[in-house]
Amino acid sequence: MTKAVNFDGFLLFDGGMGTMLQAAGMKAGELSESYNIQRPEVIEHIHRAYIDAGADVVTTNTFGANRYKLKDMDFSLDMVIRRGVEIARTAAGDKLVALDIGPLGQLMEPYGNLSFEAAYEAFREQITAGTSAGADLILIETMSDIYEAKAAILAAKENSSLPVICTMTFQADGRTLTGTDPLTMVNILQNLNLDALGLNCSLGPEEMLPLIAEVLRYSRLPVIIQPNAGLPKMVGNKTVYDISPEDFGRYGRSMAEQGVRILGGCCGTTPEHIRALQKALEGLKPAFTKAERITAASSASCTVVLGEEVKIIGERINPTGKKRLKEALIKGDMDYILREAVNQKDNGAHMLDVNVGLPQIDEKALMVRAIKEIQGIVSLPLQIDSVRPEVVEAGARICSGRPIINSINGEEKSMAELLPIAKKYGCLVVALTLDEKGIPKTAEERLQIAERMIEKAAEYGIGKEDIIVDCLVLTASAQQREVQETIKAVRLVKENLGVKTALGVSNVSFGLPARGLLNRTFLAMALEAGLDAPILNPMEEDMISTIRAFNVLSNADKDSKAYIKAYSAIEQKPADIGVMSSRDLKKVIIDGIKDEAASLVKELLKESSGLEIVDNYLIPALDIVGQKYERGEIFLPQLIQSAETVKRAFEILKDNMDAGSGSDSQIEKGKIVIATVKGDIHDIGKNIVKILLENYGFQVYDLGKDVPIEKVVEKTAEEDAPLVGLSALMTTTVQNMEDTIKALRSSCPHCRIMVGGAVLNESYAEMIGADFYVKDARESVKVAQSIFGK
């Protein structure tokens, strides 16, 4: 029978499973999940050891039990998961059993081939099997992609009634592999109706401390922390972790004193670490922190907090009054829509409104497609704009961040249809101050409608910090008197309700000449009244200038830094970037617009050779993208999107050469063999490296994962490859990497070797005889360029 989970006190999880299995003799390359069938006594012994050490929860040996990682096993996925739960239940006794769900090991769209829908289905299989087998709660852990985490959470919530916990793994730079920071993680995950959230893996407890402080600052949920036992080091032929059980317990107590209520361990931790942690918590009462309440929308890598300064919602992706956009929507011309998104981002928009509603198209399908593609190239939060609830829900589901729903109103039907969607998917909502009677003429009546909507939202568990009130802008040409009522209503809403506000500013000038003059004057009036998020066209410089000036005069732009940067003679204005020609191939690559890049290459081939295009456009553009990545201005999804755009350009160049119309015989820059070493089945990092190297023009021979030493040597010799890249994620396979390097040195002495992977560092690489250590995919490109020349 499933046991109830109490999150009010301390809850102590177990430690590393892989660490214990390796100590029990598990060989490199063995799937730990196979032990559920073949050696269940080993798994049960590990669970019992953690229970004896004081753990309240044991985690099933199902971390990698999914359709992708177990596809070559002789056992069914359902059997592996069921046995995992049964073994844990037998060992746990009256303690809790957590169904362990790890990442699928695939790259998500748009920078990989795994769709959100396919990820959901894979997680659903695991959740269904584990829930029916009798797990007490679900632990979704070690997630590096928040989009994948969302798919797993929805699968858990829609196919189980068990409590759900989700943890993400962060790098030393304070972000996940795909660029999510702690605030963004909390803002997205806690609004998906989780029971607890937090961090695990990758870092030791000391390195996690600053991240924990940020999570505790914003999380309204219990926080779980499961660090590694420090950072791995090589001692002889063994990998060891440098945090002793006593130090682990000391760090755990410090975390608990700050407000962490759920603790455990990850890689390198043992029952001794959990025993020390349990002892360190003795006599300590849980510290309950009060989370900072913010109104914030998020993309997967960026959170926009309303109220700190004026935030602009870009209005350009809305067909109302836009003939060219209507044509693009009807034709399915996604490049035009993506260009609108990029231009608005480049010109100062903080969020983007997405409205694709036309009677002659499938609005739901196009909304899903538009959101998928826009969030693939622009790291701004999105506002889903539709009058149809099914379109809103489809968009909210597929959005990788925390979007805004535009909009609900005071009609009972509107609130009943849209508030449940907002609650399920954790969205902010724009609340329009109108009801069954229409738009009230007075500010006081609009305030009353706003109050009713906030009260109704509270019934669904939606706090007022998640409501953005729109007091509605009417046209000065037809309803001149009501213009001042809108301004008054904004002020009343701010003073009486304390919520954030939005307005579609440019509506005020319809039907009158010199619209820009009216728009910016009305904008200034609304800002002074308390407008937080104007919805406008960021390409209108007068509007942006008004906002910049207001931010200075209202003390939001501290020391006038943004204002000075925008208007200093020695600084390039942000608007200059947005008005660059859409026919500039470099800019198109940087922005990641694939189809437009292909068409531009075709044009350039009329006057330039393939190699000239590669050297003068493709590689320089990728170098700019790489520099942005290194400065933290963009993250892995945008880096890969630009690389994939170059790939599309390369396809055109190769087709042209195959047709015999070009003068180039070869556009690849050199041959590189890459592989995940024998015994290691993890290949996400290697796959990312492959994408970047190929799109810099290198000929990459990818041998896959779990590659025998002789196969690496054979292929390197066959191709006479000057560079080999080896990857290892597991500590047990570092020795195989060293053996592969020795074999290459003997048979292919001319080749240079670069190595990478989560368990490696500079000293590891030197110790095992590698020429280069690459900490990420971008670094591998630099190494290749140094070998072959740019």
Side-chain angles (χ1 to χ4, degrees):
M1 175 181 282
T2 300
K3 300 178 178 62
V5 183
N6 181 6
F7 290 101
D8 292 333
F10 287 125
L11 197 61
L12 193 60
F13 270 68
D14 53 11
M17 173 62 74
T19 299
M20 296 296 289
L21 283 173
Q22 290 164 20
M26 185 178 73
K27 296 181 176 62
E30 280 192 275
L31 287 174
S32 63
E33 292 77 16
S34 68
Y35 276 48
N36 292 349
I37 309 298
Q38 296 174 326
R39 301 189 64 187
E41 72 284 355
V42 174
I43 303 301
E44 183 176 343
H45 175 77
I46 292 170
H47 287 322
R48 290 189 184 279
Y50 279 120
I51 291 293
D52 292 343
D56 302 306
V57 186
V58 291
T59 308
T60 60
N61 180 39
T62 55
F63 177 83
N66 63 69
R67 62 166 71 170
Y68 300 103
K69 292 184 177 180
L70 300 187
K71 62 181 180 179
D72 297 325
M73 280 189 64
D74 296 329
F75 316 107
S76 71
L77 172 66
D78 186 77
M79 181 187 298
V80 170
I81 293 177
R82 286 181 176 277
R83 285 297 293 134
V85 174
E86 290 167 3
I87 295 165
R89 173 62 66 206
T90 300
D94 61 351
K95 302 297 183 179
L96 298 168
V97 171
L99 174 65
D100 194 18
I101 305 290
L104 298 172
Q106 306 287 307
L107 287 172
M108 295 281 289
E109 289 180 340
Y111 44 89
N113 296 319
L114 182 65
S115 70
F116 183 85
E117 297 85 354
Y120 174 90
E121 281 303 310
F123 288 124
R124 183 191 60 76
E125 289 176 341
Q126 297 174 274
I127 301 297
T128 302
T131 300
S132 62
D136 300 309
L137 68 152
I138 297 167
L139 174 65
I140 299 164
E141 63 156 318
T142 323
M143 289 288 167
S144 59
D145 187 337
I146 196 126
Y147 203 24
E148 185 177 12
K150 179 176 179 178
I153 292 166
L154 288 177
K157 286 293 181 179
E158 293 176 351
N159 297 280
S160 169
S161 59
L162 298 179
V164 181
I165 298 173
C166 183
T167 61
M168 298 197 72
T169 181
F170 285 74
Q171 303 176 121
D173 63 359
R175 289 184 180 265
T176 69
L177 177 66
T178 54
T180 301
D181 61 279
L183 168 58
T184 298
M185 178 194 77
V186 173
N187 194 45
I188 295 172
L189 295 189
Q190 75 176 352
N191 290 295
L192 289 174
N193 307 301
L194 283 174
D195 295 275
L197 59 79
L199 316 174
N200 80 302
C201 205
S202 292
L203 303 174
E206 183 175 3
E207 293 78 21
M208 277 191 180
L209 288 175
L211 303 178
I212 292 170
E214 187 79 350
V215 171
L216 288 169
R217 178 181 176 185
Y218 296 105
S219 178
R220 302 187 299 271
L221 303 178
V223 171
I224 174 173
I225 302 296
Q226 293 179 291
N228 289 346
L231 301 177
K233 294 180 178 179
M234 184 71 83
V235 177
N237 292 327
K238 291 186 177 181
T239 302
V240 298
Y241 289 81
D242 59 3
I243 295 291
S244 68
E246 292 72 23
D247 286 342
F248 193 81
R250 179 171 54 82
Y251 278 115
R253 182 179 180 91
S254 174
M255 293 173 186
E257 290 171 343
Q258 294 177 55
V260 176
R261 301 213 301 274
I262 310 172
L263 298 106
C266 204
C267 299
T269 59
T270 66
E272 290 306 310
H273 289 84
I274 301 306
R275 182 174 284 106
L277 182 57
Q278 192 271 339
K279 184 177 180 180
L281 295 177
E282 289 180 356
L284 188 66
K285 293 183 178 180
F288 291 86
T289 58
K290 187 174 182 180
E292 188 173 325
R293 296 276 179 162
I294 57 174
T295 302
S298 294
S299 68
S301 60
C302 168
T303 292
V304 173
V305 180
L306 275 66
E308 295 177 343
E309 60 179 21
V310 179
K311 303 298 185 192
I312 300 165
I313 302 175
E315 69 176 8
R316 292 289 301 167
I317 307 176
N318 186 322
T320 304
K322 301 181 185 73
K323 181 180 178 181
R324 179 65 186 88
L325 180 58
K326 287 182 181 178
E327 293 173 354
L329 291 173
I330 293 170
K331 294 177 182 177
D333 180 2
M334 199 54 60
D335 272 10
Y336 183 86
I337 296 168
L338 296 180
R339 176 53 63 194
E340 287 286 4
V342 169
N343 283 341
Q344 291 184 94
K345 180 261 296 182
D346 287 346
N347 284 279
H350 300 96
M351 297 163 279
L352 299 180
D353 185 81
V354 182
N355 185 320
V356 296
L358 288 174
Q360 61 267 58
I361 65 173
D362 183 343
E363 184 184 357
K364 179 179 175 181
L366 190 55
M367 177 64 81
V368 168
R369 183 184 174 197
I371 288 176
K372 281 186 174 183
E373 297 217 22
I374 291 169
Q375 68 189 11
I377 66 168
V378 176
S379 58
L380 298 183
L382 302 181
Q383 177 170 276
I384 301 167
D385 188 353
S386 176
V387 297
R388 297 171 56 192
E390 67 273 20
V391 174
V392 171
E393 178 159 20
R397 187 178 186 84
I398 211 70
C399 183
S400 61
R402 187 190 188 201
I404 304 170
I405 292 176
N406 186 19
S407 55
I408 63 168
N409 61 55
E411 296 180 9
E412 289 298 326
K413 182 174 183 291
S414 174
M415 291 188 286
E417 289 177 337
L418 291 169
L419 286 173
I421 296 172
K423 176 60 177 176
K424 178 177 180 178
Y425 297 102
C427 307
L428 300 174
V429 291
V430 172
L432 306 179
T433 54
L434 62 87
D435 57 16
E436 289 84 355
K437 298 177 183 178
I439 302 175
K441 291 187 176 182
T442 69
E444 288 77 11
E445 290 173 297
R446 296 185 203 184
L447 173 64
Q448 291 173 3
I449 293 175
E451 288 176 324
R452 289 205 306 272
M453 284 191 284
I454 290 172
E455 290 171 0
K456 179 62 71 172
E459 294 177 12
Y460 288 89
I462 300 172
K464 70 176 186 177
E465 68 271 13
D466 297 332
I467 306 292
I468 304 168
V469 174
D470 186 334
C471 294
L472 297 170
V473 177
L474 302 177
T475 61
S477 59
Q479 296 158 300
Q480 190 171 359
R481 180 177 178 182
E482 277 76 16
V483 172
Q484 280 291 343
E485 290 300 310
T486 296
I487 299 297
K488 182 180 178 182
V490 170
R491 186 171 284 110
L492 287 176
V493 164
K494 294 293 290 185
E495 291 174 352
N496 291 276
L497 303 180
V499 296
K500 302 302 182 284
T501 58
L503 286 176
V505 175
S506 60
N507 293 342
V508 76
S509 63
F510 281 135
L512 291 171
R515 291 189 62 190
L517 176 60
L518 290 171
N519 289 343
R520 67 177 181 267
T521 303
F522 178 76
L523 173 62
M525 295 167 65
L527 292 173
E528 194 280 328
L531 174 62
D532 297 291
I535 305 172
L536 50 80
N537 178 3
M539 269 80 87
E540 294 181 358
E541 177 61 26
D542 285 347
M543 300 290 276
I544 300 301
S545 296
T546 299
I547 291 171
R548 290 185 185 128
F550 179 82
N551 282 335
V552 171
L553 300 176
S554 63
N555 198 35
D557 180 4
K558 300 300 181 184
D559 300 320
S560 306
K561 289 181 180 178
Y563 185 86
I564 292 170
K565 181 177 180 180
Y567 297 111
S568 171
I570 62 172
E571 293 282 356
Q572 180 190 36
K573 294 182 182 180
D576 292 344
I577 300 173
V579 297
M580 287 178 65
S581 168
S582 65
R583 312 307 293 169
D584 185 322
L585 179 57
K586 288 183 186 177
K587 184 67 165 63
V588 168
I589 291 169
I590 292 167
D591 293 335
I593 305 179
K594 299 176 187 177
D595 290 340
E596 188 170 351
S599 64
L600 287 175
V601 168
K602 290 177 182 178
E603 289 185 17
L604 285 169
L605 278 169
K606 297 174 183 177
E607 57 188 41
S608 303
S609 70
L611 277 177
E612 286 174 336
I613 294 171
V614 170
D615 290 336
N616 297 332
Y617 294 92
L618 306 190
I619 300 305
L622 275 178
D623 284 341
I624 293 172
V625 173
Q627 291 161 12
K628 286 176 172 284
Y629 176 75
E630 290 171 352
R631 293 195 298 264
E633 297 174 16
I634 62 170
F635 304 101
L636 184 63
Q638 292 78 39
L639 181 68
I640 294 180
Q641 189 74 5
S642 291
E644 287 293 290
T645 303
V646 169
K647 181 179 180 180
R648 184 71 59 86
F650 266 121
E651 289 169 356
I652 302 300
L653 293 176
K654 290 178 180 179
D655 288 345
N656 178 73
M657 288 170 1
D658 291 342
S661 59
S663 59
D664 305 297
S665 60
Q666 179 78 359
I667 61 172
E668 284 86 5
K669 300 293 187 180
K671 296 180 179 181
I672 305 171
V673 173
I674 64 171
T676 299
V677 299
K678 177 65 179 174
D680 205 313
I681 59 170
H682 302 87
D683 62 355
I684 282 186
K686 173 187 64 64
N687 293 342
I688 295 170
V689 167
K690 176 187 177 182
I691 290 171
L692 285 190
L693 288 174
E694 284 185 335
N695 295 316
Y696 265 83
F698 299 103
Q699 179 65 48
V700 179
Y701 298 94
D702 181 6
L703 304 184
K705 57 190 176 184
D706 189 19
V707 182
I709 294 172
E710 57 272 17
K711 186 175 179 180
V712 177
V713 173
E714 179 183 336
K715 190 64 177 178
T716 303
E718 177 187 332
E719 299 298 335
D720 194 23
L723 181 61
V724 176
L726 301 176
S727 172
L729 188 68
M730 301 166 63
T731 56
T732 54
T733 56
V734 174
Q735 182 61 51
N736 290 344
M737 179 178 279
E738 182 177 7
D739 293 341
T740 304
I741 293 172
K742 288 178 180 177
L744 285 168
R745 294 290 185 224
S746 175
S747 300
C748 307
H750 66 282
C751 78
R752 309 291 292 280
I753 302 165
M754 60 180 177
V755 297
V759 296
L760 296 173
N761 55 37
E762 198 83 49
S763 61
Y764 265 40
E766 183 178 350
M767 185 180 300
I768 62 178
D771 297 297
F772 306 98
Y773 164 68
V774 292
K775 63 179 176 21
D776 56 30
R778 167 64 180 160
E779 197 70 25
S780 72
V781 172
K782 288 184 174 181
V783 168
Q785 288 176 329
S786 73
I787 297 295
F788 297 102
K790 288 196 175 186

